[in-house]
């Protein structure tokens, strides 16, 4: 190969590489992008004074969901367990295994997930199936007998409760 | 003139060179239908591209409109049903034909060409990716959950999981960004990649040529791709095309209901072509699961990739390759067995783990509890009383601590004569029930109360009924007469899921399958209206109008006319106790009970059966023409 020919190939390679890098790095950054969790708002779930004690109840509530440019009023649900002392436990309805919605089975007194068969006690402890951690609790407060929660999501499939 | 234009064109453009490159191929031995699977896949891909592009004229990739845009295509656009159903069935057949193609190539030992096989494995993965992303685009229950679970599994993979999840979802949750990405991956990345890899696959295949029969004696006679093999390919493709038409006409995919994370009556399960993975992952529990999530697909695909580099023996006769054929049967056997197991698995909720089964004692201890639970539902108790948070609010919740400390006699007295304990009670008397039934009800009520606690029973809520205006026609209490139907009226629901929701939410009052029969003594008709047959004022053969008519009642509730009705229709929509998607499913079910198909075609272009008949006539004419022309030519020669 002549020196001139070699020089030309180097120029072709270098310039093409430069264009490629300049375009691809921004594109990769654009694709691999997930915003950190935003500020959490309190959503009013509803009145809990008439709830039974120690028995889970699914409560629906409406909240404004915002993802990127999509703002919607949507329904969410949480599992609420009212304790005798006046405290409540609020479970996220999302199975910590792979994100399905689990159900309460009053006959067995357990939470069960229909997707892959995880079973939880009323306290959220895993007693069967593949779930890697207990049910996720949500931050909540009670004002004038009404329950407020902060809707959060956590990474599924891992033993740690990591907010996303 | 035409001839001169043609001569000009072929002079400027290498038409004959391209044609000969594509069609001139020598085949050792006779042509065979066994070789037609490859061409068949090219045909199916072309069909998917054509129907996919046609669907894109209507499809909208947003979470608030995707499902409805697909439903519009299917019901309101002329031949939209055909385009959608062909795309659906074409995709399913594509996966099946791909499997047959691979088994054929394996049996003939054709994978020993190495590179062609490896590109083929890449094509298989691209097809599976298209299958998954395509299902998500509909944003129905099926596709939504397939997306949710599959991206969660991808997120579990050690090291790269986090990045995989972000690339697939665009965020950490399944929302608009995830749908956008499924759309881009399906339409703009995987579909073009599939075309590209098919090109590479064919070029690589043409370099080695078709391997032909394994017996050397059969390889001496030569045939050509064009037209010897091509005619078999076209006949096979036409037959499969007709099968797709037939399935599209007579087996349209059901409407699965719009994506809804609150509807727990829906049990997510993957499509048939992913059931083997779903089942395989069940064997990896707890901390082992990420290993399974990454390991199972890696091993299954890895085995395919390394195959031609392990088995280098030039022998191609399957009867002289016992080990290789045993491996084929083992591999296929594992995948098929896992698929069948996955298909049969009822969603594990119905077979709880042994740990869970040990604690069903509450019911077992009280013999009548099961019967009592039935009675509780049949007698309409849930209208006023909540159990575990479900039911009406006119009376107190009965699970939990309300009945703590009460004796069986107290409960039965209460059932027979409610005013004996609470003079102002509006609860009807159930004295006409037999003693055994009353005892069964008491058994049930005791079985659901919690262990004695020191708590006080909750205060009796103010009766909703006392607010009901006496003797006024059926008007939603808090809304203007004729108020608009809600979003649910415009969503095509799933009647199948609606049936489950109906059993849970509506049967207590409207009876099994909407046949009615529950008495409401204070109302002027005396019973809760049956839904089958439905009042003529609400029924309409047009599913859109019909759904809109009943939607108002489900959304806003209603109070029956009469001096003192005991029961009223709750406002499922306004109270947010059901989602719009769930209401749409219930509406689809009520329509079905009345013989109206919620997903019925509004503007089909041609009735599907007529269309199929027309297609059959076109095919018959084509075959007739081919026979006549070839006979005439035969005589002439």
């Amino acid at each position: 190969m002549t020196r001139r020919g070699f020089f030309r190939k180097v120029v072709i390679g270098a310039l093409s590489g430069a264009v490629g890098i300049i375009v691809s790095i921004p594109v990769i950054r654009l694709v691999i992008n997930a915003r950190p969790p935003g500020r959490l708002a309190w959503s009013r779930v509803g009145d809990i004074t008439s709830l039974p004690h120690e028995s889970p109840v699914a409560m629906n509530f409406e909240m404004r969901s915002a993802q990127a440019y999509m703002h919607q009023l949507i329904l969410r649900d949480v599992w609420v367990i009212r304790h005798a002392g006046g405290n409540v436990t609020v479970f996220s309805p999302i199975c910590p295994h792979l994100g399905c919605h689990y159900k309460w089975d009053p006959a067995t007194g357990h939470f069960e997930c229909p997707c892959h068969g995880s079973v939880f006690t009323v306290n959220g402890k895993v007693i069967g199936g593949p779930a890697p951690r207990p049910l996720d609790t949500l931050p909540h407060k009670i004002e004038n007998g009404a329950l407020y929660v902060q809707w959060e999501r956590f990474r599924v499939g891992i033993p740690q409760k990591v907010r996303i | 003139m035409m001839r001169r234009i043609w001569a000009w064109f072929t002079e400027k453009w290498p038409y004959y060179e391209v044609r000969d490159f594509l069609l001139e191929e020598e085949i050792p031995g006779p042509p065979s239908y066994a070789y037609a699977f490859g061409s068949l896949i090219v045909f199916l891909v072309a069909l998917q591209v054509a129907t996919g592009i046609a669907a894109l004229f209507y499809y909208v990739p947003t979470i608030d409109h995707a499902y409805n845009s697909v439903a519009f295509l299917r019901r309101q656009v002329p031949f939209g049903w055909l385009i959608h159903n062909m795309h659906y069935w074409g995709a399913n057949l594509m996966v099946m034909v791909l499997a047959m193609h691979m088994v054929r190539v394996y049996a003939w030992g054709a994978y020993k060409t190495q590179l062609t096989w490896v590109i083929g494995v890449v094509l298989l993965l691209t097809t599976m990716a298209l299958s998954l992303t395509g299902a998500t685009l509909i944003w129905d229950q099926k596709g939504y959950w397939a997306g949710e679970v599959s991206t969660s599994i991808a997120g579990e993979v050690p090291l790269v999981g986090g990045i995989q999840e972000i690339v697939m979802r665009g965020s950490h949750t399944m929302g608009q960004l995830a749908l956008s990405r499924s759309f881009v991956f399906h339409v703009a990345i995987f579909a073009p990649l599939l075309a590209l890899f098919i090109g590479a696959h064919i070029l690589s295949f043409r370099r080695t040529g078709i391997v032909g029969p394994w017996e050397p004696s059969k390889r001496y006679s030569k045939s050509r791709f064009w037209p010897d093999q091509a005619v078999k390919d076209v006949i096979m493709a036409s037959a499969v095309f007709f099968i797709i038409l037939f399935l599209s006409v007579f087996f349209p995919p059901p409407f699965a209901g719009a994506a809804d994370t609150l509807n727990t009556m829906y049990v997510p399960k993957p499509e048939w072509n992913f059931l083997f993975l779903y089942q395989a992952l069940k064997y990896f529990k707890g901390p082992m699961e990420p290993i399974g999530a990454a390991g199972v697909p890696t091993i299954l695909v890895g085995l395919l990739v390394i195959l031609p580099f392990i088995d280098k023996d030039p022998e191609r006769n399957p009867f002289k390759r016992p080990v290789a054929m045993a491996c084929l049967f083992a591999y296929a056997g594992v995948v098929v067995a896992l698929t069948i197991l996955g298909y049969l698995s009822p969603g594990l909720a119905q077979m709880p783990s042994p740990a869970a089964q040990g604690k069903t004692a509450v019911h077992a201890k009280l013999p009548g509890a099961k019967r009592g639970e039935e009675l509780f539902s049949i007698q309409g108790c849930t209208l006023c009383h909540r159990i575990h948070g479900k039911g009406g609010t006119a009376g107190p919740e009965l699970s939990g601590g309300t009945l703590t400390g009460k004796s069986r006699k107290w409960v039965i007295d209460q059932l027979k004569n409610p005013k004996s304990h609470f003079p102002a009670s509006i609860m009807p008397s159930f004295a006409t029930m037999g003693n055994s039934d009353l005892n069964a009800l008491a058994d049930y009520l005791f079985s659901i109360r919690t262990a004695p606690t020191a708590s006080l029973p909750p205060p009796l809520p103010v009766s909703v009924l006392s607010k009901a205006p006496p003797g006024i026609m059926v008007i939603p209490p808090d809304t203007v007469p004729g108020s608009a139907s809600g979003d649910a009226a415009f969503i095509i629901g799933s009647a199948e899921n609606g049936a489950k929701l109906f059993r849970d939410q509506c049967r207590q009052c409207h009876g099994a399958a909407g046949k009615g029969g529950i008495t409401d003594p204070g109302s002027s008709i005396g019973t809760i209206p049956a839904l089958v047959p439905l009042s003529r004022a609400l029924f309409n053969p047009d599913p859109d109008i019909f759904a809109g008519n009943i939607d108002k009642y489900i959304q806003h509730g209603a109070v029956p006319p009469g001096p003192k009705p005991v029961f009223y229709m709750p406002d499922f929509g306004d109270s947010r106790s059901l989602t719009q998607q769930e209401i749409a499913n219930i509406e689809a079910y009520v329509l079905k009970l009345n013989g109206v198909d919620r997903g019925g075609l509004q503007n089909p272009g041609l009735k599907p059966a007529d269309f199929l008949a027309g297609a059959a006539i076109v095919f018959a004419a084509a075959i007739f023409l081919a026979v006549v022309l070839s006979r005439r030519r035969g005589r002439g020669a």
Side-chain angles (χ1 to χ4, degrees):
Chain A
M1 190 193 296
T2 63
R3 234 175 105 170
R4 179 167 289 183
F6 175 74
F7 175 70
R8 284 175 182 162
K9 286 179 186 168
V10 168
V11 169
I12 292 170
L15 291 182
S16 315
V19 172
I21 287 171
I22 291 167
V23 175
S24 57
I25 288 178
V27 168
I28 290 169
R29 183 64 190 87
L30 172 148
V31 171
I32 303 174
N33 172 47
R35 291 237 210 120
R39 204 171 46 82
L40 286 171
W42 289 105
S43 302
R44 188 181 190 279
V45 175
D47 190 76
I48 55 161
T49 48
S50 64
L51 290 192
H53 286 226
E54 313 300 340
S55 175
V57 172
M59 293 183 80
N60 290 2
F61 62 100
E62 202 169 50
M63 64 174 273
R64 183 159 283 281
S65 132
Q67 188 189 42
Y69 44 85
M70 189 64 82
H71 294 257
Q72 284 182 308
L73 270 180
I74 54 166
L75 284 184
R76 298 263 188 224
D77 60 343
V78 286
W79 284 100
V80 182
I81 303 157
R82 185 163 165 251
H83 303 296
N87 289 336
V88 295
T89 302
V90 179
F91 285 127
S92 158
I94 295 159
C95 177
H97 175 224
L98 288 175
C100 289
H101 260 54
Y102 57 84
K103 301 179 208 185
W104 171 251
D105 184 350
T108 60
H110 294 120
F111 290 110
E112 286 163 12
C113 181
C115 286
H116 305 89
S118 295
V119 184
F120 309 87
T121 65
V122 67
N123 301 317
K125 213 182 116 215
V126 186
I127 51 166
R133 64 166 186 263
L135 296 177
D136 298 316
T137 51
L138 294 177
H140 59 271
K141 63 179 182 185
I142 299 168
E143 278 175 13
N144 302 325
L147 175 70
Y148 292 77
V149 300
Q150 285 181 326
W151 177 260
E152 293 184 345
R153 286 208 57 166
F154 307 95
R155 274 198 70 172
V156 296
I158 54 172
Q160 307 82 25
K161 183 180 168 189
V162 179
R163 202 191 140 203
I164 55 177
Chain B
M1 182 62 189
M2 283 308 289
R3 186 167 290 181
R4 280 177 60 193
I5 293 174
W6 183 245
W8 170 84
F9 173 70
T10 51
E11 186 206 322
K12 304 283 181 194
W13 201 84
Y15 170 77
Y16 292 109
E17 290 86 336
V18 171
R19 185 195 67 181
D20 292 349
F21 174 74
L22 291 177
L23 301 181
E24 285 301 317
E25 187 200 1
E26 204 177 61
I27 298 172
S32 166
Y33 280 108
Y35 307 156
F37 290 117
S39 301
L40 182 55
I41 291 169
V42 173
F43 167 72
L44 287 174
V45 170
L47 198 64
Q48 290 304 93
V49 169
T51 51
I53 289 174
L56 279 179
F57 278 90
Y58 290 92
Y59 178 70
V60 179
T62 62
I63 52 175
D64 49 356
H65 288 106
Y67 183 79
N68 286 353
S69 76
V70 174
F72 179 80
L73 170 72
R74 293 182 61 175
R75 299 178 63 242
Q76 316 272 9
V77 177
F79 299 110
W81 60 271
L82 178 69
I83 293 299
H84 177 86
N85 299 358
M86 280 175 78
H87 203 69
Y88 172 83
W89 281 115
N92 278 296
L93 269 120
M94 168 104 177
V95 177
M96 286 183 221
V97 174
L98 212 55
M100 290 192 255
H101 182 55
M102 290 180 80
V103 169
R104 206 287 293 176
V105 164
Y106 191 99
W108 261 252
Y111 57 86
K112 299 182 182 197
T113 58
Q114 296 183 333
L115 181 60
T116 312
W117 172 264
V118 173
I119 300 175
V121 174
V122 174
L123 280 168
L124 172 72
L125 296 179
T126 314
T127 306
M128 294 301 256
L130 278 163
S131 167
L132 194 65
T133 50
T136 305
L137 294 188
I138 303 175
W139 212 246
D140 59 355
Q141 285 285 65
K142 234 178 173 174
Y144 174 85
W145 289 109
E148 169 76 53
V149 174
S150 63
T151 50
S152 293
I153 290 173
E156 272 190 340
V157 173
L159 300 176
V160 291
I163 289 201
Q164 285 196 83
E165 195 183 76
I166 290 171
V167 169
M168 290 164 87
R169 286 184 179 172
S171 75
H172 294 288
T173 54
M174 281 294 284
Q176 177 55 48
L177 297 173
L179 176 58
S180 293
R181 280 176 188 226
S182 290
F183 181 65
V184 171
F185 277 119
H186 188 80
V187 172
I189 294 179
F190 291 135
L193 275 183
L194 191 74
L196 198 73
F197 288 137
I198 286 177
H201 190 66
I202 293 174
L203 287 177
S204 159
F205 155 78
R206 290 292 292 274
R207 169 139 297 185
T208 46
I210 190 158
V211 296
W214 51 80
E215 296 101 321
S217 59
K218 287 192 184 163
R219 300 172 58 87
Y220 294 127
S221 67
K222 304 285 181 196
S223 51
R224 290 169 307 155
F225 172 73
W226 184 269
D228 305 340
Q229 179 61 41
V231 67
K232 290 194 154 48
D233 291 359
V234 170
I235 289 173
M236 180 103 126
S238 304
V240 170
F241 176 72
F242 203 80
I243 292 173
I244 291 177
L245 287 187
F246 179 83
L247 292 169
S248 301
V249 165
F250 292 110
F251 299 94
F255 284 91
D260 179 9
T261 56
L262 267 63
N263 184 344
T264 49
M265 291 287 155
Y266 179 81
V267 178
K269 224 174 174 186
E271 283 281 10
W272 65 273
N273 51 332
F274 287 101
L275 280 174
F276 71 98
L277 263 184
Y278 158 84
Q279 185 65 23
L281 281 184
K282 285 188 187 165
Y283 302 117
F284 295 86
K285 299 219 161 106
M288 293 298 291
E289 187 159 291
I291 296 162
V296 172
T298 308
I299 287 172
L300 287 175
V301 174
L303 283 176
L304 292 179
V305 171
I306 60 170
L307 168 72
F309 305 102
I310 292 176
D311 179 11
K312 288 184 173 165
D313 182 359
E315 179 59 59
R316 294 200 296 106
N317 186 341
F319 301 103
K320 293 183 181 165
R321 293 156 52 219
V323 179
M325 293 311 284
C327 289
L328 169 66
F329 287 118
Y331 190 97
V334 166
V335 172
V336 170
L338 284 172
T339 301
I340 293 171
L341 283 174
Y343 177 76
L344 294 177
S345 105
L348 287 172
Q350 289 142 34
M351 40 175 199
S353 64
Q357 276 167 347
K359 301 211 177 170
T360 52
V362 215
H363 260 183
K365 258 190 265 168
L366 300 164
K370 187 109 194 86
R371 167 80 183 140
E373 188 176 2
E374 257 174 61
L375 287 167
F376 194 83
S377 162
I378 297 168
Q379 295 291 336
C381 309
T382 43
L383 279 165
C384 301
H385 294 286
R386 291 166 91 86
I387 299 280
H388 301 296
K390 290 245 171 202
T393 50
E397 159 98 34
L398 295 178
S399 56
T402 321
L403 292 173
T404 305
K406 298 284 190 283
S407 67
R408 178 175 296 264
K409 183 178 178 306
W410 189 94
V411 169
I412 290 178
D413 282 349
Q414 172 69 21
L415 286 164
K416 283 181 168 166
N417 183 9
K419 294 209 187 333
S420 66
H421 297 132
F422 305 103
S425 175
I426 53 156
M427 176 169 158
S429 161
F430 292 90
T432 51
M433 283 168 70
N435 270 339
S436 69
D437 279 355
L438 286 170
N439 268 306
L441 253 179
D443 279 351
Y444 172 61
L445 293 174
F446 286 136
S447 75
I448 52 169
R449 72 176 175 185
T450 45
T453 50
S455 68
L456 292 167
L460 279 173
V462 182
S463 165
V464 188
L465 302 178
S466 58
K467 283 189 288 187
I472 288 183
M473 54 178 285
V474 185
I475 290 173
D478 302 327
T479 41
V480 221
S483 64
S485 39
D487 287 345
F490 310 108
I491 301 173
I492 309 301
S494 152
E496 187 197 342
N497 184 258
K500 292 182 190 163
L501 289 164
F502 189 92
R503 233 172 287 149
D504 199 40
Q505 302 279 345
C506 323
R507 191 192 53 181
Q508 299 92 321
C509 297
H510 293 293
K515 292 210 170 65
I518 313 291
T519 53
D520 186 0
S523 73
S524 52
I525 10 173
T527 54
I528 294 170
L531 301 180
V532 187
L534 198 63
S535 144
R536 284 288 114 185
L538 296 177
F539 179 87
N540 198 296
D542 181 324
D544 293 341
I545 299 173
F546 193 164
N549 287 348
I550 58 172
D551 186 71
K552 291 169 198 155
Y553 290 89
I554 305 176
Q555 298 285 1
H556 312 301
V559 179
K564 208 179 172 193
V566 176
F567 301 132
Y568 63 100
M569 173 82 180
D571 51 345
F572 289 101
D574 294 346
S575 67
R576 313 275 179 265
S577 48
L578 287 176
T579 61
Q580 293 300 310
Q581 297 93 312
E582 288 173 320
I583 293 175
N585 293 349
I586 291 173
E587 286 164 8
Y589 177 65
V590 173
L591 262 63
K592 189 182 165 197
L593 289 177
N594 285 281
V596 177
D597 178 6
R598 182 68 186 96
L601 304 180
Q602 297 292 81
N603 187 11
L606 257 179
K607 273 192 196 151
D610 294 350
F611 175 82
L612 190 66
I617 291 168
V618 172
F619 261 114
I623 292 166
F624 178 75
L625 195 70
V627 170
V628 168
L629 285 180
S630 52
R631 278 206 179 162
R632 185 178 290 178
R633 181 69 181 270
R635 264 202 307 272

